Amino acid sequence: MMNAYSNKNLKLFDNIVLVMMKSLALLDHAFNLMPLRSLPCHLETVSLFALLVNDSPAKLHEDFRLQLTTWGYEGEILDYASKMWSGLLSGYYKLRWKTFFEFLRSSLAEGTPFNQQDYEIKVKGIERAFVTNETLGDCVAWEDQNIFDLAALIEQIIVLASEF
């Protein structure tokens, strides 16, 4: 990626970004096949714990997301408890990477320096939205997964990667 950026090769840059974004989708889908690597499954557990201790599920979900991502509302310790989990990849990391690639692409296409300050502002908004999001997602049991979807994603990534 950095070679494509340094050499101002927009086509190669775009292809690499496409492969990386598809790879994140593949990883997210793969981790969703494993309940212990699924944010929605962990959030279900947090909901049950909230009932047990007579606390607000929404508040405990937010606390849980804070611990996994920014450790505070101002990004005090970014990625402190980083995990490779479905839901976290698609709902958090993928958006951060997408934003990073968009800023890099803009810099490359316009021939301007990377705008770190605007990038950080945009990422803080993504982080805040993720932490306060009350959507749980679905904790899907192994027997309800469609392995053929995963195989199709792998095939797409192999085809894309072979273009380099």
Side-chain angles (χ1 to χ4, degrees):
M1 164 144 321
M2 291 316 297
N3 283 339
Y5 183 81
S6 297
N7 295 326
K8 299 178 177 23
N9 187 335
L10 198 54
K11 182 177 173 18
L12 179 58
F13 179 86
D14 288 342
N15 285 338
I16 292 169
V17 168
L18 184 61
V19 169
M20 291 180 75
M21 297 308 287
K22 290 270 189 184
S23 297
L24 286 173
L26 169 65
L27 285 170
D28 189 75
H29 191 86
F31 289 137
N32 199 40
L33 296 172
M34 301 171 266
L36 290 178
R37 296 235 179 226
S38 168
L39 179 62
C41 292
H42 284 286
L43 289 172
E44 278 188 11
T45 303
V46 169
S47 294
L48 293 173
F49 180 74
L51 293 173
L52 181 70
V53 297
N54 199 25
D55 205 341
S56 161
K59 177 63 178 141
L60 290 184
H61 289 172
E62 187 171 321
D63 291 346
F64 188 70
R65 288 172 189 252
L66 274 171
Q67 184 180 19
L68 292 173
T69 57
T70 62
W71 199 252
Y73 292 103
E74 298 303 318
E76 285 82 349
I77 307 174
L78 192 60
D79 295 332
Y80 174 75
S82 169
K83 303 282 187 252
M84 293 292 285
W85 290 350
S86 72
L88 193 55
L89 282 170
S90 62
Y92 181 68
Y93 293 118
K94 186 176 177 182
L95 295 174
R96 282 181 31 193
W97 276 111
K98 181 177 183 253
T99 301
F100 177 68
F101 295 145
E102 287 170 351
F103 272 76
L104 270 182
R105 188 181 196 293
S106 175
S107 168
L108 179 59
E110 297 168 10
T112 58
F114 182 82
N115 190 329
Q116 184 72 31
Q117 184 177 2
D118 285 354
Y119 168 73
E120 288 176 5
I121 290 168
K122 178 94 176 195
V123 167
K124 278 190 186 270
I126 290 168
E127 293 165 349
R128 178 71 172 196
F130 178 80
V131 166
T132 58
N133 183 353
E134 293 186 25
T135 305
L136 295 182
D138 294 321
C139 179
V140 183
W142 168 253
E143 61 271 11
D144 295 331
Q145 295 292 335
N146 184 349
I147 197 72
F148 296 109
D149 291 344
L150 182 58
L153 277 172
I154 292 170
E155 184 177 348
Q156 289 174 22
I157 289 173
I158 290 170
V159 168
L160 287 170
S162 69
E163 294 178 7
F164 299 110

